[in-house]
Amino acid sequence: MSDSVWKVAVAGASGYAGGEILRLLLGHPAYLTGELEIGALTGASSAGASVGELMPHLPQLADREIEDTALDTLAEHDVVFLALPHGHSAEIGAALPDDVVVIDCAADFRLRNEDDWLAHYGPGYAGCWPYGLPELPGHRDELAGARRIAVPGCFPTGATLAAWPALEAGLIEPDLSVVSVSGVSGAGKKASVATLGAETMGSLRAYNVAGAHRHTPEMVQNLQEVAEDDVRLTFTPVLAPLPRGILTTVVAPLAGDVSTTQARAAYAAAYKGEPFLRLLPEKQQPETQHVLGSNMCHVQVAVDPAQDKLVVTSAIDNLTKGTGGAAVQCMNLALGFEEAAGLPRAAVAP
């Protein structure tokens, strides 16, 4: 390993998360100056195929071949992104040398409570790593120089960024209803009847409701950090016929007499200095198209005075801020780069 060039590997490179990480790395200032080198690109079923064949949107890497995911190969790198299905990262992460920065995009190291893991993922709890959501109070310091990082889930990212300022400021009771509408790329690249175009076009479908979704305990874990009382949360995910993006609505009872002006002031204070959080002008609602391909989270907050409820909406790109962008943001903190390096704030439009 070189002190002058950071060598980076991506395991699961041909999946949606792996491809997004590579897209962002190719525009990273350190890559453009030669300080960062893209090394091994590994996969399982895609091993032996070329990047150009699998991901023609990455022309700089078109001639590269996807390799088998071998531990010895990954260990030769300074940074390893694990863009693998849940349950596949734990063994690799534990076996890689301590001086390698390992950034896991799966759920294997997100949950602190073993019972939560067993209830939602099954046997094989592997422990927890520093949680890769820098905007959540206290986490940026944990990520600076870290050698093991767990990237948050996409749904928890949108919900946490929307809700934590209200809980921290004591604006709401810790009894939240969260509804997130997501594009089909959140289900991954593996072929599935449920995500076929013929099954999703022109239709909306809720799934894994009433506490069944795996991201529910992760949301509670995050929000519990800033809440004085136990957090109660109901999560309803909805599949929508769009490739990428998540629109989240959080509704919670007010904890007293709170106006929209007061709520907006609390959010403006919480988001101050955060490069990827934007409180929109009053009455302008977040739209997934306005964060497409960016690492931004757009947020709106308002009080429903008739019902004494706070309503918060957020929009993220599930593959950027929700996965690949978060992973690169964490890499920047771990390696000492500028946190926003290589991460677009401008979206693709129209």
Side-chain angles (χ1 to χ4, degrees):
M1 296 185 187
S2 170
D3 293 332
S4 58
V5 178
W6 298 98
K7 192 174 181 182
V8 177
V10 179
S14 61
Y16 288 139
E20 185 72 354
I21 291 168
L22 290 172
R23 179 181 76 88
L24 296 169
L25 290 178
L26 289 169
H28 197 287
Y31 175 78
L32 299 176
T33 60
E35 298 173 77
L36 185 148
E37 174 188 340
I38 298 176
L41 309 178
T42 79
S45 60
S46 59
S50 71
V51 171
E53 176 187 352
L54 299 173
M55 295 177 286
H57 67 292
L58 304 176
Q60 302 97 312
L61 302 172
D63 295 332
R64 296 285 299 276
E65 182 178 302
I66 303 296
E67 308 174 36
D68 287 320
T69 302
L71 187 61
D72 290 346
T73 299
L74 298 178
E76 296 173 353
H77 295 74
D78 301 290
V79 181
V80 175
F81 290 99
L82 299 178
L84 303 170
H86 303 316
H88 290 72
S89 300
E91 184 176 352
I92 295 174
L96 286 170
D98 291 341
D99 61 342
V100 175
V101 176
V102 185
I103 301 175
D104 182 27
C105 294
D108 293 33
F109 299 100
R110 292 175 190 160
L111 296 178
R112 300 190 195 101
N113 187 302
E114 183 175 359
D115 289 339
D116 286 339
W117 173 270
L118 296 176
H120 288 83
Y121 294 93
Y125 179 65
C128 66
W129 289 353
Y131 190 75
L133 190 62
E135 295 85 358
L136 190 60
H139 284 257
R140 185 168 278 114
D141 290 341
E142 292 181 4
L143 297 169
R147 289 296 177 263
R148 296 290 189 270
I149 296 172
V151 175
C154 53
F155 285 130
T157 295
T160 301
L161 296 178
W164 76 256
L167 276 171
E168 186 178 54
L171 303 180
I172 58 174
E173 300 292 343
D175 187 3
L176 298 87
S177 172
V178 179
V179 178
S180 294
V181 182
S182 173
V184 295
S185 62
K189 206 171 187 177
K190 185 177 180 180
S192 166
V193 171
T195 56
L196 289 173
E199 302 292 333
T200 58
M201 287 188 296
S203 180
L204 294 171
R205 175 172 62 86
Y207 64 101
N208 289 342
V209 304
H213 197 281
R214 292 172 167 182
H215 286 176
T216 303
E218 188 179 340
M219 293 181 190
V220 173
Q221 173 180 283
N222 293 350
L223 298 176
Q224 194 64 64
E225 293 184 20
V226 296
E228 292 185 3
D229 298 319
D230 290 345
V231 171
R232 300 177 299 280
L233 185 148
T234 299
F235 176 48
T236 303
V238 179
L239 186 67
L242 66 159
R244 51 202 288 172
I246 295 177
L247 182 70
T248 294
T249 301
V250 178
V251 179
L254 296 173
D257 187 12
V258 179
S259 67
T260 293
T261 299
Q262 291 171 315
R264 288 184 59 81
Y267 273 74
Y271 290 170
K272 185 178 181 180
E274 291 293 345
F276 302 118
L277 299 182
R278 181 167 185 246
L279 179 64
L280 296 179
E282 195 166 359
K283 297 184 180 179
Q284 180 182 355
Q285 282 295 323
E287 298 182 41
T288 57
Q289 66 174 332
H290 294 156
V291 295
L292 183 65
S294 82
N295 203 52
M296 293 296 298
C297 177
H298 287 183
V299 177
Q300 185 56 273
V301 58
V303 168
D304 180 346
Q307 302 300 323
D308 290 326
K309 299 283 181 67
L310 188 73
V311 180
V312 190
T313 47
S314 72
I316 63 170
D317 185 323
N318 60 293
L319 293 181
T320 314
K321 184 56 177 167
T323 311
V328 173
Q329 188 176 352
C330 289
M331 180 197 76
N332 289 338
L333 287 166
L335 300 186
F337 293 136
E338 198 275 317
E339 184 177 335
L343 295 170
R345 297 179 66 192
V348 177

